[in-house]
Amino acid sequence: LIVAIHEFGHAFAAVRLGLRFDIATVIPPETGTGGYVKYKSEGLPNIQLLIARLYSALASRVMERIYLSEDPLDPTSVMEITSGSSGDIESATGNLWKQIFALGADPNGGTLLRTSTPADPSNFGLAPEEKIEAFGRIMRRMENYMIEDFLKHFKKEWFKEKILEFGRKGLMNEKQFYDMIGFIHPGPNAIFIGEEPRLQERFKKDVQQLPES
């Protein structure tokens, strides 16, 4: 069930953001691993694509909060999250670090590369303590944004029903997933539809509030 919650979260966020994927599955590719969502190759990543991937990485935690907690927006709902989403936190942390420090996406900063190996999330620890705390708050607010957005359009029971259906199926391609949740599939060539611009705007506002280095 937890695997189904996780992968449904990633795939559902991808639909909301217009982030394309080939399949979503709860079936592990090998022993000792979990399910996964196989995203389509979008070519050279830009900031918009990285922001979409960041939201999608955090969506496993979002869906756990929606499914497992009585009040998903209560700050204590994070206490219901399992350890299965720890890898998603690592991915999101590295993604955010890369955007701000390696790709010059900080509106208050410059375009100078501020780390020698930007792809390594371990360099996140080299940032000032107040900036690390600010990044943590950004990702928590991103989680809350998604919870607000998801529950604005669908009730908690709807998510439970769809997650269980997804879990029973085990594997779905993108069109099957769209059909299951009642969204119109955009076809094989469309890129970046849906809610991505609005979420980007909220992300940028948070980044602008980062403390100076």
Side-chain angles (χ1 to χ4, degrees):
L1 176 60
I2 295 299
V3 174
I5 294 172
H6 280 194
E7 305 314 324
F8 181 93
H10 293 312
F12 187 79
V15 171
R16 296 293 291 167
L17 292 160
L19 189 60
R20 305 303 302 276
F21 61 93
D22 290 316
I23 62 169
T25 179
V26 301
I27 304 169
E30 57 187 32
T31 303
T33 63
Y36 63 96
V37 174
K38 184 177 182 291
Y39 298 101
K40 291 182 181 292
S41 174
E42 303 284 0
L44 185 65
N46 56 23
I47 295 296
Q48 288 80 11
L49 178 59
L50 291 174
I51 292 173
R53 288 178 178 172
L54 176 53
Y55 272 109
S56 187
L58 292 172
S60 62
R61 292 170 51 85
V62 166
M63 205 53 63
E64 279 201 29
R65 289 171 64 182
I66 289 174
Y67 195 103
L68 300 174
S69 62
E70 185 174 343
D71 181 1
L73 284 171
D74 189 303
T76 63
S77 66
V78 298
M79 304 301 292
E80 305 291 340
I81 295 175
T82 69
S83 60
S85 59
S86 59
D88 296 322
I89 297 176
E90 180 179 356
S91 173
T93 299
N95 193 321
L96 182 60
W97 169 263
K98 184 175 182 179
Q99 288 180 55
I100 301 301
F101 286 105
L103 299 180
D106 182 352
N108 297 321
T111 56
L112 181 68
L113 184 69
R114 287 183 273 178
T115 175
S116 58
T117 54
D120 184 358
S122 65
N123 281 314
F124 193 75
L126 301 176
E129 184 65 28
E130 66 273 13
K131 190 151 287 192
I132 292 176
E133 292 180 2
F135 280 15
R137 290 194 296 272
I138 285 175
M139 290 198 290
R140 178 59 54 79
R141 284 196 290 268
M142 291 176 77
E143 288 182 16
N144 290 341
Y145 294 160
M146 281 190 283
I147 291 172
E148 291 172 0
D149 179 75
F150 293 177
L151 293 179
K152 177 181 177 181
H153 294 88
F154 300 98
K155 294 185 181 298
K156 188 174 180 178
E157 290 306 314
W158 181 89
F159 284 104
K160 289 187 174 183
E161 176 187 330
K162 297 304 179 183
I163 288 169
L164 291 174
E165 182 178 350
F166 172 61
R168 286 192 294 268
K169 294 285 186 181
L171 184 149
M172 290 184 171
N173 62 33
E174 186 185 59
K175 186 176 187 308
Q176 289 170 330
F177 190 88
Y178 268 75
D179 290 345
M180 180 188 70
I181 62 175
F183 279 57
I184 298 174
H185 188 254
N189 299 316
I191 298 175
F192 280 113
I193 59 171
E195 299 297 317
E196 182 249 352
R198 181 177 62 80
L199 292 177
Q200 275 191 51
E201 181 179 352
R202 300 186 76 166
F203 175 83
K204 289 174 184 176
K205 287 180 180 179
D206 275 347
V207 172
Q208 289 172 350
Q209 296 171 8
L210 285 172
E212 296 294 334
S213 300

